[in-house]
Amino acid sequence: MTSTQEAVFRAAVAANVPVFMKGLSGIGKSSFIRDYAAASRRHLESVVMMHKEKSDISGIPSLREENHTTEFAVPGWASRLVEASKGLLLLSEFNLADEDVQKACMNVLQERQVGENTYLPESVAIVLDGNPPEYSAGAGDIPGPIANRMLHLDWDLDREAWLTGMAEGFPTSAEQIVDDTPARPERVARERSLVLAFLDTQRPFIHDQPTDPARAGGPWPSPRSWDNAIRVLSRIDESSTDAQKVALTGLVGDAAAQSFLRWRIEAADFDLQAVLADPTVEDWTDHHPSKTLTILGTVAAYAVDRGDLDTWKAALRTLLHCAEETGRKDVCLRSARLLLSRAPKGAQIPRRAEETFGPMLRSVGAWR
């Protein structure tokens, strides 16, 4: 059975969000990563950060004889990952590295850039590991701009599994793990709409960088970390509330995660496909505005992502029904703007939609 921490790890890998595994020495972080790389058929490159210099990450300046210019050469570990069909980059003992070496990793973590003009392919997962500063001499807090680029995952020892493994032998990674299948469009649309509707009502959580270096070195909310949250949450089973909580806390911090998860309980309670098939399944007049915003945002985003005419028509029908049922055209405005501006080929804007949404959209410069 997959543990919560492993489920979050796999979701982050699938979403191409870097994972920082932080835990005590000797509890099996490295062995888990090696086993995972083998089981997922990924070429593993382990870069021990405390032994590296800035040039080992960003590349050494080299002369191009043909035009007498210099550029940063691609490090060997990066070249091997680019050539591999699938790979895993492990930046080991990350918080023991000098700060300038950590900063050299910033482009690697988010933009995946190495050397001058080389980029790690999407098939390469990025994982970091380290020990808590209070338990490791020389380990420090990670600079805030770097910390905000990753999912912070506290890694704990599964004592029961260790005892069983020591007594009976540890299982080998025989089965193949596939964690890079595309996320379902309806899940991505749902998570994006939930996050956006929540942040529309709780705007301080959009960006709340701590001033305390210790807190800034962990997870905190920003547009970047919320985007990463949408990508990771869309890979986690909706019934796995523990995994959702661990993932979200590791991306945006405890306060933002707790507030969002409490708010989500009511707002996420709807069936997207049922609403598209028949908008009357929802009692729109009884909704809190946040739930209406979430449903309409999900409907519009899903239709745009799908890009087919039938789904677009069903989404527009849903928005029109809601506007007419509630009399709240303003609540529908953002979703209507997205849907009408991204109409698929062959779509005709119905007169009913023009009359309902046209005047308001023109008033904010969002309609021809």
Side-chain angles (χ1 to χ4, degrees):
M1 181 180 295
T2 303
S3 66
T4 296
Q5 62 186 14
E6 185 175 346
V8 173
F9 177 91
R10 290 190 184 190
V13 167
N16 266 334
V17 173
V19 186
F20 178 37
M21 297 171 60
K22 185 165 62 177
L24 299 176
S25 297
I27 63 172
K29 299 187 298 296
S30 298
S31 61
F32 169 81
I33 294 169
R34 287 195 300 270
D35 289 346
Y36 173 82
S40 58
R41 308 300 193 265
R42 293 177 181 270
H43 170 73
L44 175 64
E45 286 285 339
S46 180
V47 180
V48 182
M49 297 293 290
M50 67 179 296
H51 298 153
K52 299 300 179 183
E53 298 179 354
K54 181 178 178 180
S55 59
D56 294 318
I57 305 300
S58 57
I60 299 174
S62 59
L63 177 66
R64 298 183 63 182
E65 295 183 358
E66 62 271 20
N67 55 12
H68 302 289
T69 61
T70 59
E71 66 177 23
F72 290 101
V74 178
W77 57 263
S79 179
R80 291 187 290 273
L81 285 169
V82 169
E83 293 173 359
S85 58
K86 291 176 66 178
L88 190 153
L89 168 61
L90 171 60
L91 301 175
S92 187
E93 300 176 354
F94 188 81
N95 57 348
L96 284 174
D98 293 337
E99 187 170 328
D100 64 335
V101 180
Q102 294 181 3
K103 288 181 177 178
C105 294
M106 289 180 68
N107 283 348
V108 179
L109 292 174
Q110 193 73 21
E111 289 78 20
R112 309 175 73 83
Q113 182 179 359
V114 290
E116 195 77 32
N117 292 300
T118 301
Y119 295 84
L120 298 177
E122 294 297 304
S123 57
V124 174
I126 301 176
V127 180
L128 309 85
D129 71 20
N131 307 127
E134 60 270 25
Y135 289 98
S136 180
D141 296 314
I142 300 174
I146 301 175
N148 193 241
R149 284 166 158 77
M150 60 187 76
L151 187 156
H152 297 253
L153 182 58
D154 291 333
W155 199 260
D156 298 319
L157 173 64
D158 187 336
R159 288 170 168 78
E160 182 65 31
W162 183 82
L163 288 170
T164 301
M166 289 296 289
E168 303 175 5
F170 290 95
T172 58
S173 300
E175 65 170 327
Q176 183 172 359
I177 297 174
V178 180
D179 286 333
D180 51 5
T181 53
R184 291 183 291 119
E186 58 265 34
R187 279 301 310 282
V188 177
R190 177 187 287 264
E191 297 302 337
R192 183 188 302 135
S193 296
L194 283 166
V195 166
L196 292 179
F198 167 73
L199 293 176
D200 199 25
T201 61
Q202 301 288 334
R203 298 196 175 195
F205 280 132
I206 294 177
H207 190 277
D208 188 19
Q209 182 172 355
T211 55
D212 174 45
R215 290 184 56 229
W220 46 272
S222 75
R224 178 195 293 123
S225 59
W226 282 113
D227 180 60
N228 284 340
I230 292 167
R231 291 158 56 194
V232 174
L233 289 174
S234 67
R235 306 280 184 159
I236 297 176
D237 191 283
E238 288 181 276
S239 63
S240 301
T241 55
D242 288 344
Q244 291 173 17
K245 180 180 179 180
V246 170
L248 197 59
T249 301
L251 286 160
V252 299
D254 186 64
Q258 293 282 9
S259 183
F260 173 77
L261 291 171
R262 285 195 301 268
W263 175 91
R264 176 193 176 116
I265 292 172
E266 167 63 21
D269 184 23
F270 67 94
D271 185 329
L272 171 60
Q273 297 300 334
V275 171
L276 284 170
D278 180 10
T280 65
V281 299
E282 289 290 333
D283 185 357
W284 300 95
T285 59
D286 189 47
H287 284 177
H288 188 279
S290 62
K291 182 170 184 178
T292 302
L293 284 169
T294 301
I295 297 176
L296 296 181
T298 304
V299 163
Y302 177 65
V304 168
D305 287 345
R306 284 292 300 271
D308 65 274
L309 186 58
D310 288 343
T311 305
W312 183 85
K313 287 180 177 179
L316 185 57
R317 183 170 62 248
T318 301
L319 266 63
L320 287 166
H321 175 79
C322 174
E324 293 165 357
E325 188 78 6
T326 64
R328 293 290 307 277
K329 300 177 185 178
D330 57 320
V331 176
C332 306
L333 190 60
R334 179 178 294 169
S335 299
R337 179 176 182 174
L338 171 64
L339 201 61
L340 295 174
S341 65
R342 300 280 296 277
K345 186 177 180 180
Q348 298 291 325
I349 308 298
R351 178 179 296 275
R352 183 176 160 210
E354 160 70 28
E355 294 172 349
T356 302
F357 301 124
M360 293 189 69
L361 288 172
R362 277 191 289 271
S363 71
V364 295
W367 187 261
R368 57 184 181 277

